[in-house]
Amino acid sequence: MSAHIHLTPLHDISAADAAAWHQVVTASMAHDLPGVPTPGPEQIHAQLTKPTLNSHRLTWLATGATGSPVGVAGLRLFTSPGRDHLAELELHVAPAHRRLGTGSLLLSEVVAACLAQDRRSLIVEAAADSPGEAFCEKRNFRQALALNHLILRLDHLDEATVSQVAEAEHPGYRLTGWTGTVPDDLAAAFATAKNAMNDMPVGDLDYGTENWDADRVRAMAQVIADRGDTLLTLAAVHDGGAMAGYTEILLPRGTAPRAQQYDTAVVPAHRGRGLGLWLKTAMVRRLRAQHPGVVEIETDNAEDNVHMLAVNHRLGFRSYRRTREFQLDVSAV
């Protein structure tokens, strides 16, 4: 049946290409992830056409015998030192066209591209107990990390907990925040704090390391702004000038009611003081005051990241789905 499928590498992506991609992704997510908001057409167009940070993207569109879109694959190839062995896959097949060889054809193209780009590891995320998980297991991917996705409903907060945490004293620390690009006087300290994420639990993923400096944190903010999203950051700064920790929230373009938690990290020398919970609680207050259209926040944590899970549960996050990160040893294919 796969003989009736035509694969097209996408280079200069047109509005029609982006619309076809959106059609497949929407159908796939509605089937596999009921209740999870699907990206809008503008988000998809920005994802496909705007630059990414320290990486580049390859994309393919699969069409059926009538020319209708039936599958898509996006491959992000990381380029920074410490991660230039790694590629990340997004693959969707419309439910009505599954089990016809489309996914296998797309994966073959992706693996060939990884080999051509000298990548040893390919990672992909799939919902637990989903068709995507079964697809990975049948094609020699191994499960490398289990993730717990949680939701915080801002109208279900325990106000007593929010007040208690937000108003607790943290001698020697102050909170500061910004939207978009970090202020110049904090850029170097922020980059140092970002490097604290390198010890986050990643299971058995061959994830590499990310090295941040002031230029890179500015570039990250620009990438997010260019695709139309808004990045909010709150940081805890020590009296000595070091940034002790930070938390980031992404607001998707438009008026999406669900915000996405990006990084939350506390630098090792400042852990054990409740700064993570303090930062996240202050961010909740900021969202409610400045962005009343946001009604919930989604985050995910490795299932063995017991500390951050405890922080999130204390604030009121509740589990609502699980995903798995799978990894393919490309050199062994």
Side-chain angles (χ1 to χ4, degrees):
M1 296 296 290
S2 61
H4 300 295
I5 303 300
H6 179 68
L7 298 188
T8 304
L10 301 180
H11 302 295
D12 296 322
I13 294 173
S14 67
D17 294 333
W21 191 287
H22 178 258
Q23 179 181 327
V24 172
V25 170
T26 299
S28 174
M29 290 184 64
H31 182 273
D32 298 340
L33 298 170
V36 177
T38 57
E42 291 183 344
Q43 287 177 274
I44 291 290
H45 188 269
Q47 172 192 333
L48 294 174
T49 59
K50 299 298 183 181
T52 54
L53 181 65
N54 295 120
S55 61
H56 65 274
R57 184 184 296 274
L58 302 177
T59 53
W60 295 264
L61 174 66
T63 52
T66 64
S68 61
V70 298
V72 296
L75 183 66
R76 185 179 179 189
L77 297 156
F78 295 92
T79 56
S80 58
R83 302 191 78 196
D84 52 5
H85 65 284
L86 182 65
E88 187 175 55
L89 171 64
E90 177 187 6
L91 191 152
H92 295 275
V93 176
H97 298 275
R98 292 177 180 175
R99 300 184 180 276
L100 300 174
T102 304
S104 295
L105 278 176
L106 286 165
L107 181 60
S108 293
E109 289 293 308
V110 165
V111 169
C114 287
L115 291 170
Q117 297 279 339
D118 197 26
R119 306 299 158 134
R120 70 169 183 259
S121 297
L122 175 66
I123 60 175
V124 65
E125 183 177 303
D129 305 316
S130 71
E133 182 177 72
F135 178 88
C136 290
E137 290 173 343
K138 290 178 180 178
R139 288 159 181 83
N140 297 319
F141 285 80
R142 62 177 179 83
Q143 182 180 314
L145 180 66
L147 293 169
N148 189 346
H149 293 249
L150 306 96
I151 290 287
L152 177 66
R153 290 280 309 186
L154 299 185
D155 57 351
H156 292 172
L157 287 170
D158 183 335
E159 297 297 341
T161 297
V162 170
S163 296
Q164 179 185 18
V165 172
E167 296 165 13
E169 294 186 1
H170 292 82
Y173 297 92
R174 62 179 175 86
L175 293 180
T176 187
W178 60 90
T179 299
T181 304
V182 60
D184 287 345
D185 62 326
L186 293 173
F190 184 41
T192 298
K194 289 282 280 185
N195 285 314
M197 287 297 292
N198 281 322
D199 68 356
M200 69 177 179
V202 294
D204 294 325
L205 282 176
D206 185 13
Y207 197 70
T209 58
E210 296 190 79
N211 297 303
W212 294 90
D213 58 22
D215 288 339
R216 190 174 182 211
V217 296
R218 294 188 187 102
M220 178 197 70
Q222 189 61 52
V223 164
I224 291 170
D226 286 346
R227 68 181 188 228
D229 298 334
T230 300
L231 184 65
L232 308 178
T233 308
L234 280 176
V237 179
H238 190 256
D239 284 348
M243 192 170 291
Y246 66 94
T247 190
E248 298 169 319
I249 287 284
L250 183 89
L251 304 180
R253 65 185 302 163
T255 56
R258 180 178 293 184
Q260 297 291 328
Q261 178 76 62
Y262 264 30
D263 292 350
T264 297
V266 176
V267 174
H270 299 274
R271 292 174 183 168
R273 296 173 172 84
L275 298 182
L277 182 59
W278 185 38
L279 283 160
K280 290 174 76 78
T281 304
M283 180 63 85
V284 164
R285 282 190 157 185
R286 179 179 175 184
L287 277 176
R288 292 203 296 187
Q290 299 178 3
H291 301 277
V294 174
V295 299
E296 58 191 11
I297 304 169
E298 179 177 357
T299 190
D300 63 76
N301 301 121
E303 290 187 352
D304 60 354
N305 190 352
V306 293
H307 173 72
M308 190 54 68
L309 283 168
V311 167
N312 285 329
H313 286 142
R314 171 81 187 283
L315 187 53
F317 281 89
R318 295 294 177 260
S319 300
Y320 89 110
R321 67 185 182 98
R322 285 176 164 78
T323 59
R324 305 287 183 255
E325 292 273 3
F326 289 89
Q327 181 169 297
L328 181 68
D329 181 357
V330 178
S331 62
V333 173

